[in-house]
Amino acid sequence: MRGNIFGTLFQLSTFGESHGPAIGGIIQGCPPGVSIDLDAIQKELDRRRPGQSKIVTQRKEPDKVVFYSGLFEGKTTGFPLGFHIINSNQKSKDYDHLKDKYRPSHSDYTYDKKYGIRDYRGGGRSSARETANWVVGGAVAKQFLKPTSIKITAFVSAVGDLSLEIPYQNLDFSNIEKNLVRCPDFDTAKKMEQRIKEIRKEGDTIGGIIQCVIQGVPIGLGEPIFNKLHAELARAMLTINASKGFEYGSGFGGTSMKGSQHNDLFESDGTTSTNYSGGIQGGISTGMDIYFNVAFKPVATIMQNQTSINKDHQKITIQGKGRHDPCVLPRAVPIVEALTALVLADFVLMKRTYS
Amino acid sequence: MRGNIFGTLFQLSTFGESHGPAIGGIIQGCPPGVSIDLDAIQKELDRRRPGQSKIVTQRKEPDKVVFYSGLFEGKTTGFPLGFHIINSNQKSKDYDHLKDKYRPSHSDYTYDKKYGIRDYRGGGRSSARETANWVVGGAVAKQFLKPTSIKITAFVSAVGDLSLEIPYQNLDFSNIEKNLVRCPDFDTAKKMEQRIKEIRKEGDTIGGIIQCVIQGVPIGLGEPIFNKLHAELARAMLTINASKGFEYGSGFGGTSMKGSQHNDLFESDGTTSTNYSGGIQGGISTGMDIYFNVAFKPVATIMQNQTSINKDHQKITIQGKGRHDPCVLPRAVPIVEALTALVLADFVLMKRTYS
Amino acid sequence: MRGNIFGTLFQLSTFGESHGPAIGGIIQGCPPGVSIDLDAIQKELDRRRPGQSKIVTQRKEPDKVVFYSGLFEGKTTGFPLGFHIINSNQKSKDYDHLKDKYRPSHSDYTYDKKYGIRDYRGGGRSSARETANWVVGGAVAKQFLKPTSIKITAFVSAVGDLSLEIPYQNLDFSNIEKNLVRCPDFDTAKKMEQRIKEIRKEGDTIGGIIQCVIQGVPIGLGEPIFNKLHAELARAMLTINASKGFEYGSGFGGTSMKGSQHNDLFESDGTTSTNYSGGIQGGISTGMDIYFNVAFKPVATIMQNQTSINKDHQKITIQGKGRHDPCVLPRAVPIVEALTALVLADFVLMKRTYS
Amino acid sequence: MRGNIFGTLFQLSTFGESHGPAIGGIIQGCPPGVSIDLDAIQKELDRRRPGQSKIVTQRKEPDKVVFYSGLFEGKTTGFPLGFHIINSNQKSKDYDHLKDKYRPSHSDYTYDKKYGIRDYRGGGRSSARETANWVVGGAVAKQFLKPTSIKITAFVSAVGDLSLEIPYQNLDFSNIEKNLVRCPDFDTAKKMEQRIKEIRKEGDTIGGIIQCVIQGVPIGLGEPIFNKLHAELARAMLTINASKGFEYGSGFGGTSMKGSQHNDLFESDGTTSTNYSGGIQGGISTGMDIYFNVAFKPVATIMQNQTSINKDHQKITIQGKGRHDPCVLPRAVPIVEALTALVLADFVLMKRTYS
């Protein structure tokens, strides 16, 4: 509850500010003997990396992760994995003009009021740079999960009002990494890319929706009552910077259905013909696909001048400066997957205690 | 993470099955010296009670809470409050026909597969009866919060596709308890009530949306990164039986906005002219109203016959029997408030550690 | 850390004051399908019960435990076990004269200063009555452990300066329950009983030492670094009212040994010829017997007049009144076993997450 | 409970193996605005450093700590402090001969059996090198505590059977850092130093006792029942490598006293004339001095040949090699203080939640 540890049995502790010398973390609870492919971890980081394409921020951060412990001859030892990512491309000067200013819809104001001291450079601790730590943690969790049948796939399903209308079952997930937006339908992806470029030209930003599908989940993940699988996923997703909502299965759309339509009827093999439940009943995985949506607001940093206030509560103008994302969705895809993997790894360990 | 404890500093532990002799819990972490009005607690329970009106289940449960500890001369002592609610109106016989059957879209199947043993009577531990424990915990949290300016108000904002279109600022919250649906607009409430009655006649059920508004929140509640205020609220709301989604501030609707529209611009007093942020920035309360929506699916228990399977995975027919809610929304309103109060009480205590 | 929950995966939450209507608790995390013998639980409680013999307090409390949940057809369901023990023999009047007084070496003073409100009757929350809850929790833990080879045996090894000089390997544990003191050597037990009777006649009290031996422990229980098996045992033992010290293996006596004497040399089967390690290396069980000692001070409540102060810090006289133990050791034996069982159950579950 | 996080509100997470590239940790929960003197932290590390004197291991490790986050303009920001200590003087080759061998009374055997994989170099994760992380955490905790009146002082009170017989009240604590043993009485210190030198010449090791005194503790630190102040101190002390026992106040010696002798009688100012309670009643600090003893066994690594077994359970000979401490006591003094500071910092934060 101090805000910097995620998970119970499979745990990630993190530290780091956007413009400090490094960010990093400690992964603990990963059982011993798990083969760790460091390249695969780096690859996940590269999916989140700034500067990876024309439609994301043009900051160039190599984001190389270095591990300091917990690995021996290519495998986990059962002990904590300490890791670092060096902050190499800080342009702290870019932030000097913000020293005493509160940017609209950022955490500048709340952090300053709560802590009374604020590392204003690049958002400090609140910067989305922290999410690189999560991607490392999630990448280790993915490797822990690898021997299971669990497969986590996230993709962009809406940019502004451009929505992907095809159900996920009819999508080819292998397309996701083949376009800049990370939308599995090329036509929609193209339109989305176009929209993002337009928005950037306006110096503006835009929101959207990421869908995540978890396939091959064994029956029985999740705890009843207060640690339901979907409740922990909700918490995880609302943890992501700029996220504003979470729905799973039938979600908000299902609220206007009748019970007789919404109930998922069982087949003899225990599967259900429909899956409005979203693969979870009573907080516990059913063995069917889990799927959920995460809403992202438009990024608060825009390249337009805005009025705001400073520390003394005087009216000021914030100038649009720096290198920022017009739309966070493409880079948020690996983040959604990472936190999902961490949640599942935790529940996989928890489940072992019942047998 | 074992599923039966909610909160960190202000904690609720619970136990109980729908058809056991009693349910109950332990509230710990409430500071000493808080005046406790037992009638006010009972009144909250009465808002959740079955049989309270024509549009909810007609089971008659008195739901009287009894406290065993932690109170001395009308005040909290700083020690745990142990409490019980006797289960007095169990018709376990009603469930005999379900002994080996899995009801569609219930937790019967997942509980049985996970635990290998199942108290099939009335859903056992997964029954919404457990929420009475939360209402007790929440009622104590509300009394702890009473000396602050925090005010939590939930109400039904949609039943099926009948939506309350008026922004909460223009609603009269004193109307909420004056109608059976708990919708603050009488016209909409009337339509909703009518809809619920129709649905019940069909032996069917319907979902909806509850909105919750938290007013008078001090600046600075919430932890950064992994225990953001809205993330904990999301987890709390997704904990409620039948809930499928959570959104705060601009929510899913905000995903199609541009940053230049969505940013909340500061006034000199630190408030913002708009409040798309929903009273939270960077996971920390801004001092503006917090507001969020919770989606509820239609209840799974319908008064119609449905095909399903039994323990041996043979096809069977489930008969619609018993006394159930056609729409959980009216009774879920105090539950939403209770969990919200518990989350806030926890963060109020956490905030004290910073000063 | 709020003081009322013990354990992580196998958890006991408790509530209750000495003179409230009941004490009780919630046991959660016990896996489903564990056969529960309620008589065996009651039998453990009877070992702790006041009035069980001539050398303990003559209060008559039946201490009957009632379970409300988590059991179905004689087995655990995987859900929390809520339980109560009614407080039936409260003579609160006995405590009226203590209302504003601080008894020497009790928690009256610290509780009052910390909480500002105090249930003075019988020590309130700080009463050793609470330990009945632990015995219930421990009895369930023992039944969970039953299918393993783990066997926990505690006994009185010193009363005042009367020490049992025989190593535990040469003792017949079946003698423990055959004498009032719970010392496995009848000669020593007799002397101890005599000493306790003398002390009682003086209106005084006396301390002593309990030894606990855990046999049949599998290799690998315990977490490294911060949750070492012996560190958690130490915490558990220092939790017991009146306990002042803990040592395991060679303990304080081993501090004057040389490494060449103290090192336990391995046999081919992985056992060691000596066991100064006390069955734990690096915080993890070696498979050899675990053994430790717990020091208990003389009970603070004596039947003699003592000077003290009241709430207003005026000098007063505390009169020796009521029905109290001249020596807590005999009744503390099942308490030591109960907390030991809870610690081990937790680590047994934790160990499962590694496989 | 995963073994690598210490504390609840003031938390230290650690990682690192003896022969990895670095060890380190994350300190979270330290309130914002605490002035941090990096030199003071380094000074604490220097007190623990190998090679600091003739009577400790002659390994030369600079043990420079580097902070990566959580500090801004010399003060804590309220965010996690990530730190590293580079491992610069690893002679991993020294350990090649131990690859498949189990050293007596080390964690080699239990770690290998539990984890199935083992970084054998220098003990890996179980190495006392980890304690450098604790000293960093404790040094930050000390600075957090600095504005309070709390003063923590540990010193060596016994080496083998050489005991310091003077009560701590009559000792001059300023002498502690003026001799190599860290015993505040120069005469005793001299004898202890002599004894350690003799033991080293024999290629042997020796144990001892550290006493710790906490002065200026405010009334009210500690939680009742399961998180008593002394229980958490016991756990902390038993966490230290080679520790075998803990006693506070009258400790094991008090077990042979009578209640009438042992009770601490109040003075009008709330202090007590004696302090057998050790500054804690009912788990909560009384405002009097807290004092406790920690027993340390002789270090297991001796410079003599010993028989043992290897991974295949064949009898082998372990040769005494490397640079090791003949007596850990002098270097353990800052470790005892560090963990004590971490425990107190946690309870100071916890106490704030009551007001």
Side-chain angles (χ1 to χ4, degrees):
Chain A
M1 270 298 272
R2 299 309 273 182
N4 304 289
I5 297 183
F6 189 86
T8 299
L9 292 174
F10 198 108
Q11 281 187 317
L12 173 68
S13 310
T14 67
F15 71 85
E17 281 83 44
S18 178
H19 286 241
I23 62 171
I26 303 174
I27 300 157
Q28 74 159 320
C30 186
V34 175
S35 294
I36 295 297
D37 176 348
L38 294 174
D39 290 340
I41 296 172
Q42 189 58 51
K43 220 171 148 183
E44 290 290 325
L45 268 177
D46 291 347
R47 294 173 72 207
R48 195 213 73 97
R49 194 167 50 83
Q52 64 181 267
S53 81
K54 294 168 297 178
I55 60 169
V56 305
T57 170
Q58 294 305 301
R59 287 193 306 276
K60 300 280 180 210
E61 287 168 290
D63 280 357
K64 291 289 169 207
V65 63
V66 184
F67 284 89
Y68 292 96
S69 64
L71 296 172
F72 193 63
E73 298 172 350
K75 293 192 173 180
T76 57
T77 57
F79 297 114
L81 289 81
F83 67 87
H84 265 202
I85 303 168
I86 302 296
N87 289 334
S88 57
N89 188 26
Q90 311 142 356
K91 299 207 173 172
S92 302
K93 286 263 165 68
D94 276 7
Y95 293 90
D96 273 359
H97 70 296
L98 293 172
K99 190 170 176 171
D100 295 318
K101 296 176 184 170
Y102 300 138
R103 290 167 296 168
S105 291
H106 275 83
S107 63
D108 298 352
Y109 180 77
T110 52
Y111 269 48
D112 209 16
K113 296 293 177 188
K114 183 180 179 84
Y115 297 99
I117 185 171
R118 183 167 66 94
D119 182 347
Y120 56 86
R121 301 162 305 165
R125 180 71 180 143
S126 76
S127 165
R129 178 137 191 78
E130 157 74 8
T131 60
N133 285 330
W134 311 350
V135 170
V136 174
V140 172
K142 277 186 178 180
Q143 300 201 26
F144 163 64
L145 294 172
K146 212 175 178 182
T148 73
S149 52
I150 295 173
K151 201 171 167 296
I152 301 162
T153 311
F155 53 88
V156 174
S157 65
V159 168
D161 52 13
L162 279 172
S163 286
L164 177 63
E165 302 294 353
I166 309 164
Y168 77 83
Q169 293 90 340
N170 300 340
L171 293 168
D172 180 354
F173 288 168
S174 72
N175 291 340
I176 296 170
E177 291 302 312
K178 293 180 184 155
N179 67 80
L180 304 186
V181 182
R182 296 203 165 88
C183 170
D185 180 63
F186 287 131
D187 281 351
T188 316
K190 209 166 184 176
K191 288 179 202 158
M192 288 171 169
E193 186 183 331
Q194 194 52 38
R195 173 70 50 91
I196 294 171
K197 285 178 177 168
E198 287 162 17
I199 285 289
R200 188 175 47 187
K201 249 181 235 158
E202 299 170 21
D204 216 329
T205 59
I206 196 156
I209 295 172
I210 287 179
Q211 182 161 77
C212 184
V213 181
I214 320 173
Q215 294 163 310
V217 187
I219 305 177
L221 295 190
E223 296 293 307
I225 317 300
F226 293 134
N227 300 100
K228 294 187 166 90
L229 177 47
H230 57 267
E232 297 296 337
L233 286 170
R235 184 165 81 92
M237 293 308 125
L238 267 299
T239 293
I240 304 173
N241 309 44
S243 75
K244 301 294 285 189
F246 169 90
E247 58 178 4
Y248 82 105
S250 60
F252 278 89
T255 61
S256 56
M257 291 173 76
K258 294 182 183 181
S260 56
Q261 302 167 315
H262 190 277
N263 281 354
D264 295 317
L265 303 184
F266 284 106
E267 304 292 337
S268 302
D269 62 357
T271 63
T272 54
S273 44
T274 53
N275 183 18
Y276 292 116
S277 301
I280 300 172
Q281 279 300 2
I284 296 166
S285 62
T286 63
M288 300 285 285
D289 290 352
I290 294 171
Y291 60 97
F292 58 82
N293 294 322
V294 190
F296 288 87
K297 70 169 187 178
V299 197
T301 303
I302 59 176
M303 294 301 101
Q304 301 177 0
N305 288 354
Q306 298 175 93
T307 63
S308 193
I309 58 171
N310 64 14
K311 253 187 125 129
D312 301 325
H313 283 219
Q314 296 162 320
K315 287 271 185 175
I316 50 142
T317 298
I318 299 275
Q319 288 175 304
K321 268 204 203 181
R323 301 155 297 168
H324 298 281
D325 288 286
C327 176
V328 292
L329 279 286
R331 289 179 59 209
V333 164
I335 298 167
V336 165
E337 289 182 8
L339 291 183
T340 301
L342 284 166
V343 168
L344 292 178
D346 214 6
F347 279 117
V348 165
L349 292 183
M350 197 62 80
K351 184 168 189 282
R352 292 183 181 180
T353 66
Y354 286 93
S355 58
Chain B
M1 269 300 271
R2 299 309 272 183
N4 304 289
I5 297 183
F6 188 86
T8 298
L9 291 176
F10 199 107
Q11 281 186 318
L12 173 68
S13 310
T14 67
F15 71 85
E17 281 83 45
S18 179
H19 286 240
I23 62 171
I26 302 175
I27 300 157
Q28 74 160 317
C30 185
V34 175
S35 294
I36 295 296
D37 176 348
L38 294 175
D39 291 339
I41 296 173
Q42 188 58 50
K43 220 171 148 183
E44 289 291 324
L45 267 178
D46 292 346
R47 294 174 71 207
R48 195 214 72 98
R49 194 166 50 81
Q52 65 182 265
S53 81
K54 294 167 296 178
I55 60 169
V56 306
T57 171
Q58 293 305 301
R59 285 194 306 278
K60 299 279 180 211
E61 287 168 291
D63 281 359
K64 291 290 169 205
V65 63
V66 184
F67 284 88
Y68 293 97
S69 64
L71 295 172
F72 194 63
E73 299 173 348
K75 292 192 175 180
T76 57
T77 57
F79 298 115
L81 289 81
F83 67 88
H84 265 202
I85 302 169
I86 302 295
N87 288 334
S88 57
N89 187 25
Q90 312 142 358
K91 299 206 175 173
S92 301
K93 286 263 163 68
D94 277 8
Y95 293 90
D96 274 359
H97 71 295
L98 293 172
K99 191 170 176 170
D100 294 319
K101 295 176 182 169
Y102 299 137
R103 289 168 296 169
S105 290
H106 274 85
S107 63
D108 299 350
Y109 179 77
T110 52
Y111 269 46
D112 209 17
K113 296 292 179 190
K114 184 181 178 83
Y115 296 100
I117 185 171
R118 182 167 66 91
D119 181 348
Y120 55 86
R121 301 163 306 164
R125 179 73 179 141
S126 75
S127 165
R129 179 135 190 79
E130 157 75 6
T131 59
N133 285 329
W134 311 350
V135 169
V136 173
V140 172
K142 277 186 177 182
Q143 300 201 26
F144 164 65
L145 294 172
K146 212 174 177 183
T148 72
S149 53
I150 295 172
K151 201 171 166 296
I152 302 162
T153 311
F155 54 88
V156 174
S157 66
V159 168
D161 53 13
L162 280 173
S163 285
L164 176 64
E165 303 294 353
I166 308 164
Y168 77 84
Q169 293 89 341
N170 300 341
L171 293 168
D172 181 354
F173 288 168
S174 73
N175 291 340
I176 296 170
E177 291 301 311
K178 294 179 183 156
N179 67 80
L180 304 186
V181 182
R182 295 201 166 90
C183 170
D185 180 63
F186 287 131
D187 282 351
T188 316
K190 210 167 183 175
K191 287 179 203 157
M192 289 172 169
E193 187 184 328
Q194 194 53 39
R195 175 68 50 90
I196 295 172
K197 286 178 177 169
E198 286 162 19
I199 285 288
R200 189 176 46 188
K201 253 182 232 156
E202 298 170 21
D204 216 330
T205 59
I206 196 156
I209 295 173
I210 287 179
Q211 183 161 77
C212 184
V213 181
I214 320 173
Q215 293 164 310
V217 186
I219 305 177
L221 295 190
E223 296 293 306
I225 316 303
F226 294 134
N227 300 99
K228 295 186 166 92
L229 177 48
H230 57 268
E232 297 296 337
L233 286 170
R235 185 164 81 92
M237 293 306 124
L238 269 299
T239 292
I240 304 174
N241 308 46
S243 75
K244 303 292 287 187
F246 170 91
E247 59 178 3
Y248 82 105
S250 60
F252 278 89
T255 61
S256 56
M257 292 172 77
K258 293 183 183 180
S260 57
Q261 302 166 313
H262 190 277
N263 282 354
D264 295 318
L265 302 185
F266 283 106
E267 303 293 337
S268 301
D269 61 359
T271 65
T272 53
S273 44
T274 52
N275 184 17
Y276 293 115
S277 300
I280 300 171
Q281 278 300 1
I284 296 167
S285 61
T286 63
M288 300 286 284
D289 291 351
I290 294 171
Y291 60 98
F292 57 83
N293 294 323
V294 190
F296 289 87
K297 69 169 188 179
V299 197
T301 304
I302 58 176
M303 294 301 102
Q304 302 177 0
N305 288 354
Q306 296 176 93
T307 62
S308 193
I309 57 171
N310 64 15
K311 255 188 122 126
D312 300 325
H313 283 220
Q314 294 161 320
K315 286 272 184 176
I316 49 144
T317 297
I318 299 275
Q319 288 174 303
K321 268 204 206 181
R323 300 155 299 168
H324 298 280
D325 287 287
C327 177
V328 293
L329 279 286
R331 291 179 57 209
V333 164
I335 298 168
V336 165
E337 289 182 9
L339 292 182
T340 301
L342 284 165
V343 168
L344 292 177
D346 214 7
F347 279 118
V348 165
L349 291 184
M350 197 62 81
K351 183 168 190 282
R352 293 183 180 178
T353 67
Y354 285 93
S355 59
Chain C
M1 269 300 270
R2 300 307 274 181
N4 304 289
I5 297 183
F6 189 86
T8 298
L9 291 175
F10 198 107
Q11 281 186 318
L12 174 68
S13 310
T14 67
F15 71 85
E17 281 83 44
S18 178
H19 286 241
I23 61 171
I26 302 175
I27 300 156
Q28 74 159 318
C30 185
V34 175
S35 294
I36 294 297
D37 177 347
L38 294 175
D39 291 339
I41 296 173
Q42 189 58 49
K43 220 171 147 183
E44 290 291 324
L45 267 178
D46 291 347
R47 294 173 72 206
R48 195 214 71 98
R49 194 167 49 83
Q52 65 181 267
S53 82
K54 295 166 297 178
I55 60 169
V56 305
T57 170
Q58 293 305 301
R59 286 194 307 277
K60 299 278 179 212
E61 287 168 291
D63 280 0
K64 291 289 170 207
V65 63
V66 184
F67 284 89
Y68 293 96
S69 63
L71 295 172
F72 193 63
E73 299 172 349
K75 292 190 173 180
T76 57
T77 57
F79 297 114
L81 289 81
F83 67 87
H84 264 202
I85 302 169
I86 301 296
N87 288 335
S88 57
N89 186 26
Q90 312 142 356
K91 300 205 176 173
S92 301
K93 286 263 163 70
D94 277 7
Y95 293 90
D96 273 359
H97 70 295
L98 293 172
K99 192 171 176 170
D100 294 319
K101 296 176 182 169
Y102 299 137
R103 289 168 296 169
S105 290
H106 274 85
S107 62
D108 298 351
Y109 180 77
T110 51
Y111 269 47
D112 209 18
K113 296 293 177 188
K114 184 180 179 83
Y115 296 99
I117 185 170
R118 182 168 66 93
D119 181 348
Y120 55 84
R121 301 163 306 164
R125 180 73 180 140
S126 76
S127 165
R129 180 136 189 78
E130 157 75 6
T131 60
N133 286 329
W134 311 350
V135 170
V136 174
V140 172
K142 277 186 177 181
Q143 300 201 27
F144 164 65
L145 294 172
K146 212 173 177 182
T148 72
S149 53
I150 295 173
K151 200 170 165 298
I152 302 162
T153 311
F155 54 87
V156 174
S157 66
V159 168
D161 52 13
L162 279 173
S163 285
L164 176 64
E165 302 294 355
I166 309 164
Y168 77 84
Q169 294 89 342
N170 301 341
L171 293 169
D172 180 354
F173 288 168
S174 72
N175 291 340
I176 296 169
E177 291 301 312
K178 294 179 184 155
N179 67 80
L180 304 186
V181 183
R182 294 202 166 89
C183 170
D185 180 63
F186 287 131
D187 282 350
T188 316
K190 210 166 182 177
K191 287 179 203 157
M192 288 170 168
E193 188 184 327
Q194 194 52 37
R195 175 67 50 90
I196 295 170
K197 285 177 177 170
E198 287 161 18
I199 286 289
R200 189 175 46 187
K201 251 180 233 156
E202 299 171 21
D204 216 329
T205 59
I206 195 156
I209 294 173
I210 287 178
Q211 182 161 76
C212 184
V213 181
I214 320 173
Q215 293 164 310
V217 186
I219 305 177
L221 294 190
E223 296 292 308
I225 317 302
F226 293 134
N227 300 100
K228 295 186 166 92
L229 177 48
H230 56 269
E232 296 296 337
L233 286 170
R235 184 164 81 92
M237 293 307 123
L238 268 300
T239 292
I240 305 174
N241 307 45
S243 75
K244 301 294 285 187
F246 169 91
E247 58 178 4
Y248 81 105
S250 60
F252 278 89
T255 62
S256 57
M257 291 172 76
K258 293 183 183 181
S260 56
Q261 303 166 314
H262 190 277
N263 281 355
D264 295 316
L265 303 185
F266 284 107
E267 304 293 336
S268 302
D269 61 358
T271 65
T272 55
S273 43
T274 53
N275 183 18
Y276 292 114
S277 301
I280 301 172
Q281 279 300 1
I284 296 167
S285 61
T286 63
M288 300 286 285
D289 290 352
I290 294 172
Y291 60 97
F292 57 83
N293 293 323
V294 189
F296 288 87
K297 70 168 187 179
V299 196
T301 303
I302 58 177
M303 294 302 101
Q304 302 177 1
N305 288 354
Q306 297 175 93
T307 62
S308 193
I309 57 170
N310 64 14
K311 253 188 124 127
D312 300 326
H313 282 220
Q314 294 161 321
K315 286 272 184 175
I316 50 143
T317 298
I318 299 274
Q319 288 175 304
K321 269 204 204 179
R323 299 155 299 168
H324 298 280
D325 287 287
C327 177
V328 293
L329 278 286
R331 290 179 59 209
V333 164
I335 298 168
V336 165
E337 289 182 9
L339 291 182
T340 301
L342 284 165
V343 169
L344 292 177
D346 214 6
F347 279 117
V348 165
L349 292 184
M350 197 62 81
K351 183 168 190 282
R352 293 184 181 179
T353 67
Y354 285 92
S355 58
Chain D
M1 271 297 273
R2 299 309 272 181
N4 304 289
I5 297 183
F6 188 85
T8 298
L9 292 176
F10 198 107
Q11 281 186 318
L12 173 68
S13 311
T14 67
F15 71 85
E17 281 83 44
S18 178
H19 286 241
I23 62 171
I26 302 174
I27 300 156
Q28 75 159 319
C30 186
V34 175
S35 294
I36 295 296
D37 176 347
L38 294 175
D39 291 340
I41 296 173
Q42 188 59 49
K43 220 172 148 182
E44 290 291 324
L45 267 177
D46 292 347
R47 293 173 73 206
R48 196 213 71 98
R49 194 168 49 82
Q52 65 181 265
S53 82
K54 294 167 297 176
I55 60 169
V56 305
T57 171
Q58 293 306 301
R59 287 193 306 276
K60 299 280 181 210
E61 288 168 290
D63 280 358
K64 291 289 171 207
V65 63
V66 184
F67 285 88
Y68 292 97
S69 63
L71 296 172
F72 193 64
E73 299 172 350
K75 292 191 175 180
T76 57
T77 57
F79 298 114
L81 288 82
F83 67 87
H84 265 202
I85 303 168
I86 301 295
N87 289 334
S88 57
N89 187 25
Q90 311 142 355
K91 300 207 174 171
S92 302
K93 286 263 165 66
D94 277 7
Y95 293 90
D96 274 359
H97 70 296
L98 293 172
K99 189 170 178 171
D100 295 318
K101 296 176 183 169
Y102 299 138
R103 289 169 296 169
S105 291
H106 274 83
S107 63
D108 298 350
Y109 180 76
T110 52
Y111 270 47
D112 209 16
K113 296 292 177 188
K114 185 180 177 83
Y115 297 100
I117 185 172
R118 183 167 66 94
D119 182 348
Y120 55 85
R121 300 163 306 165
R125 180 72 179 141
S126 76
S127 166
R129 178 137 191 78
E130 156 75 6
T131 59
N133 286 329
W134 311 350
V135 170
V136 174
V140 172
K142 277 186 178 181
Q143 301 201 26
F144 163 65
L145 295 172
K146 213 175 176 180
T148 73
S149 53
I150 294 173
K151 198 170 168 294
I152 301 162
T153 311
F155 54 88
V156 175
S157 65
V159 168
D161 52 14
L162 279 172
S163 285
L164 177 63
E165 303 294 353
I166 308 164
Y168 77 83
Q169 294 89 341
N170 301 340
L171 293 168
D172 180 354
F173 288 169
S174 72
N175 291 340
I176 296 169
E177 291 301 312
K178 293 180 184 154
N179 66 80
L180 304 186
V181 183
R182 294 202 167 88
C183 170
D185 180 64
F186 287 131
D187 282 350
T188 316
K190 209 166 184 176
K191 288 179 203 157
M192 288 172 169
E193 187 184 329
Q194 194 53 36
R195 176 67 51 90
I196 294 171
K197 285 178 176 167
E198 287 162 18
I199 285 289
R200 189 175 47 188
K201 251 181 233 157
E202 299 171 21
D204 216 329
T205 60
I206 195 155
I209 295 172
I210 287 178
Q211 183 161 75
C212 183
V213 181
I214 320 173
Q215 294 164 309
V217 186
I219 305 177
L221 294 190
E223 296 293 308
I225 317 300
F226 293 133
N227 299 99
K228 294 188 166 89
L229 177 48
H230 57 268
E232 297 296 337
L233 286 170
R235 184 165 81 92
M237 293 307 124
L238 268 300
T239 292
I240 304 173
N241 310 44
S243 75
K244 302 294 285 188
F246 169 91
E247 57 178 4
Y248 81 105
S250 60
F252 277 89
T255 61
S256 56
M257 291 172 77
K258 293 182 184 182
S260 56
Q261 301 166 315
H262 190 277
N263 281 354
D264 296 317
L265 303 184
F266 284 107
E267 303 293 336
S268 301
D269 61 358
T271 64
T272 54
S273 43
T274 53
N275 184 18
Y276 293 116
S277 301
I280 300 172
Q281 279 299 0
I284 296 167
S285 61
T286 63
M288 300 286 284
D289 290 352
I290 293 171
Y291 60 98
F292 58 83
N293 293 323
V294 190
F296 288 86
K297 69 168 188 179
V299 197
T301 303
I302 59 177
M303 294 301 102
Q304 302 176 1
N305 288 354
Q306 297 176 93
T307 61
S308 194
I309 57 170
N310 64 14
K311 254 188 125 127
D312 301 325
H313 283 219
Q314 294 161 321
K315 287 272 184 174
I316 49 143
T317 297
I318 300 274
Q319 288 176 305
K321 267 203 203 181
R323 299 156 299 167
H324 299 279
D325 288 287
C327 177
V328 292
L329 278 287
R331 292 179 58 210
V333 165
I335 299 168
V336 165
E337 289 182 8
L339 292 182
T340 300
L342 284 165
V343 168
L344 292 177
D346 214 6
F347 279 117
V348 165
L349 291 183
M350 197 62 80
K351 184 168 189 283
R352 292 183 180 179
T353 66
Y354 285 93
S355 59

